[in-house]
Amino acid sequence: FAQGDNHPVVCVSHADAVAYAEWLGGRTGNRYRLPRRSEWVLIAGYSGNADACLNGHIDCASRGTIPARQGPTSPLGIYGAQGNVREWLNDCDGGCGRRMAAGLGWRDGARNADPIRASGLDANTGFDDVGIRLVRVVGK
């Protein structure tokens, strides 16, 4: 599918995402990491009926990503947390060969349109419907 510079990054493994966070930290002097599952619930939660497809939060079963700043924001003012790509989390799923990814991806249909849903994926694989979002560590 076609992607522009303003679309979310996809096809990165969990290790790629962690390496990017470390690289960005070295470049900026700040510390970055992937969000935890408990943080994702706060980032992506929204009020209203739980069907994000009907609410217009995502274009369910579409054919690829959309620009990162297109669509509604979460209650915290964050774009894309309620649909576009699923996102790697810092949490393991059983063993750490599988890592959690949460949210809604462009492949998701109305049946699993829950933005706080999370499941384990192979940490060594980059998926075309899984991207990253970084959390900046403030303080210690």
Side-chain angles (χ1 to χ4, degrees):
F1 54 88
Q3 257 196 319
D5 291 345
N6 58 351
H7 284 237
V9 171
V10 293
C11 298
V12 293
S13 69
H14 187 271
D16 293 335
V18 170
Y20 176 73
E22 290 173 5
W23 173 85
L24 183 62
R27 181 108 187 199
T28 65
N30 296 312
R31 288 182 33 225
Y32 295 93
R33 61 173 173 75
L34 296 171
R36 296 182 185 101
R37 171 94 171 98
S38 59
E39 293 165 329
W40 181 259
V41 172
L42 298 173
I43 291 169
Y46 67 93
S47 61
N49 129 11
D51 190 331
C53 296
L54 292 178
N55 282 344
H57 286 80
I58 64 167
D59 181 13
C60 291
S62 63
R63 298 250 182 231
T65 61
I66 61 173
R69 289 189 173 257
Q70 183 175 318
T73 61
S74 76
L76 296 175
I78 299 171
Y79 285 95
Q82 298 167 351
N84 201 358
V85 296
R86 299 181 72 207
E87 299 181 22
W88 286 115
L89 299 177
N90 204 26
D91 305 82
C92 295
D93 178 34
C96 284
R98 292 182 60 81
R99 291 291 189 147
M100 300 298 289
L104 296 167
W106 60 268
R107 290 182 188 275
D108 290 324
R111 203 173 321 159
N112 52 358
D114 179 357
I116 60 172
R117 171 180 67 95
S119 58
L121 299 173
D122 178 2
N124 296 315
T125 302
F127 300 92
D128 66 0
D129 60 345
V130 177
I132 65 171
R133 178 179 309 269
L134 298 180
V135 174
R136 191 177 91 184
V137 178
V138 179
K140 291 186 177 187

